[in-house]
Amino acid sequence: MTLGNFSRVTEFILLGLSDTRELQIFFFAFFFLSYAMVLLGNLLIIVTVKADPKLSSPMYFLLCNLSFIDICCTSVTSPRMLVDLLSQRKTIAFEDCIAQLFFLHFVGATEMFLLTVMAYDRYTAICKPLHYTAIMSRQVCWVLVFACWAGGFLHSIVQTLLTIQLPFCGPNAIDNYFCDVPPVIRLACMDVRVTEWLMVSNSGLISLACFLVLVTSYTFILVTVRVRFTEGHWKALSTCASHLMVVTLFFIPCIFIYLRPFTSFSSDKHICVIYTVFCPVMNPLIYTLRNNEVKASMKKLQMVNRYFTTSIQGLENQVSY
């Protein structure tokens, strides 16, 4: 083993979601379709926002970044899972496991921070509309996004360092379909209670703190909408409802997984599917189906695409003639 003086394990075995062949084929079809939807849906949002100058508000700038993070997040786990579902021996090298753990927490924590920023953006737009453009300027948005990525990197570095300093010399079977801190550190050949408490103070408290900030933001938004009761505020509230749905689906499983040390359940790996696969699939659906501006821009994009396709076909016909 090259990492750590006391590590003897060179690879881990990922037990996956099921050892039944029929279920593995079903999971492969389901997750392949889900991964394709994540890529196509989020890429469509990015292209739509970039192509339409009307979608230049901070909300759509942050939405673009969220779509990019969703693509990164699901790409950390889904390709490997799809390959393992068709393989007889589901092994992953120690170095690859650590790399997957690092990038998962990197983009996962970045998404947590970005969702918090998006909630602050909606709070500012609804509760302080007169100062919104000054508070959420493009420069401020770039700084906030950079801070999200920087915070995610620092969080992931801490988690990775806590893991690689442990000795792994015994069992190497991970009861999950990807490498994550909780199941990996439980395989260490030493008492990991201190490490687990550090994990809780890092991942668990970050998840809980971000979620509480989000709930507080939406509470202020609900109070503001109830007092002012205008059509514009109800439109903003509809957007917030979609955002809150994504937030709940993402944070509750994370809090459940990372805020309880010393215990593990067989259902943990199924709960992980919610924030690694299901949420990235839901984001483009929620933000497009419940947002008239995005849907109108997508229709305009389709019309432009048809126009260029028709023009190219006409030119080809003229050349042929």
Side-chain angles (χ1 to χ4, degrees):
M1 188 63 225
T2 59
L3 292 176
N5 296 329
F6 303 100
S7 299
R8 298 189 179 95
V9 171
T10 59
E11 64 181 16
F12 292 107
I13 299 173
L14 298 173
L15 300 181
L17 294 172
S18 174
D19 56 359
T20 305
R21 191 59 184 169
E22 291 76 13
L23 278 178
Q24 289 178 353
I25 295 174
F26 169 77
F27 285 144
F28 176 84
F30 175 77
F31 289 120
F32 179 81
L33 179 61
S34 299
Y35 186 48
M37 291 176 63
V38 170
L39 294 180
L40 294 176
N42 285 288
L43 283 174
L44 180 60
I45 288 180
I46 294 173
V47 171
T48 301
V49 172
K50 293 296 183 182
D52 193 345
K54 294 181 179 179
L55 303 180
S56 60
S57 67
M59 181 180 72
Y60 296 112
F61 173 77
L62 297 174
L63 176 59
C64 243
N65 283 273
L66 178 64
S67 295
F68 176 73
I69 291 175
D70 279 337
I71 292 174
C72 294
C73 186
T74 192
S75 295
V76 172
T77 58
S78 292
R80 179 89 201 189
M81 175 177 59
L82 293 173
V83 172
D84 287 343
L85 285 171
L86 299 179
S87 304
Q88 293 295 329
R89 183 170 173 78
K90 304 172 177 58
T91 60
I92 181 171
F94 185 91
E95 294 84 354
D96 295 339
C97 181
I98 296 300
Q100 187 181 56
L101 183 152
F102 169 79
F103 285 108
L104 177 68
H105 280 267
F106 181 22
V107 294
T110 302
E111 181 163 0
M112 287 185 184
F113 296 137
L114 184 64
L115 288 170
T116 307
V117 170
M118 293 178 72
Y120 174 73
D121 171 72
R122 291 298 84 206
Y123 161 77
T124 307
I126 296 174
C127 300
K128 300 180 179 180
L130 298 179
H131 304 283
Y132 177 66
T133 55
I135 295 175
M136 295 299 294
S137 64
R138 182 50 62 101
Q139 292 79 6
V140 171
C141 289
W142 276 109
V143 170
L144 291 174
V145 169
F146 176 79
C148 291
W149 284 100
F153 179 79
L154 291 175
H155 159 78
S156 185
I157 281 292
V158 172
Q159 296 290 86
T160 305
L161 291 177
L162 286 174
T163 304
I164 63 175
Q165 53 86 28
L166 297 173
F168 296 93
C169 55
N172 66 337
I174 298 175
D175 190 18
N176 211 324
Y177 58 91
F178 64 95
C179 290
D180 197 6
V181 173
V184 170
I185 65 175
R186 293 188 183 106
L187 300 178
C189 303
M190 62 173 289
D191 188 352
V192 295
R193 283 180 293 181
V194 174
T195 304
E196 286 186 322
W197 277 114
L198 291 174
M199 179 199 72
V200 169
S201 64
N202 193 342
S203 296
L205 291 183
I206 286 176
S207 304
L208 182 61
C210 289
F211 184 68
L212 291 177
V213 171
L214 287 161
V215 171
T216 302
S217 298
Y218 287 118
T219 301
F220 281 112
I221 290 173
L222 287 173
V223 172
T224 302
V225 170
R226 184 177 179 181
V227 171
R228 299 181 183 178
F229 197 78
T230 63
E231 183 179 352
H233 284 89
W234 278 113
K235 181 181 177 181
L237 182 61
S238 177
T239 303
C240 292
S242 301
H243 188 189
L244 184 60
M245 186 184 302
V246 176
V247 165
T248 303
L249 287 174
F250 182 77
F251 276 95
I252 296 301
C254 289
I255 293 173
F256 177 79
I257 294 294
Y258 297 113
L259 201 59
R260 50 175 183 82
F262 317 129
T263 56
S264 62
F265 303 103
S266 59
S267 60
D268 286 353
K269 56 187 177 182
H270 301 101
I271 294 174
C272 291
V273 174
I274 298 176
Y275 62 85
T276 58
V277 178
F278 188 67
C279 283
V281 172
M282 290 299 296
N283 279 346
L285 295 176
I286 290 174
Y287 281 107
T288 55
L289 293 179
R290 293 185 58 85
N291 192 306
N292 293 327
E293 292 179 342
V294 175
K295 286 191 292 184
S297 297
M298 285 184 176
K299 291 179 182 178
K300 187 187 300 183
L301 197 63
Q302 291 175 352
M303 292 175 63
V304 172
N305 184 45
R306 289 175 184 174
Y307 172 77
F308 279 110
T309 303
T310 305
S311 300
I312 292 173
Q313 290 177 349
L315 289 174
E316 290 177 347
N317 293 334
Q318 290 179 6
V319 172
S320 300
Y321 179 75

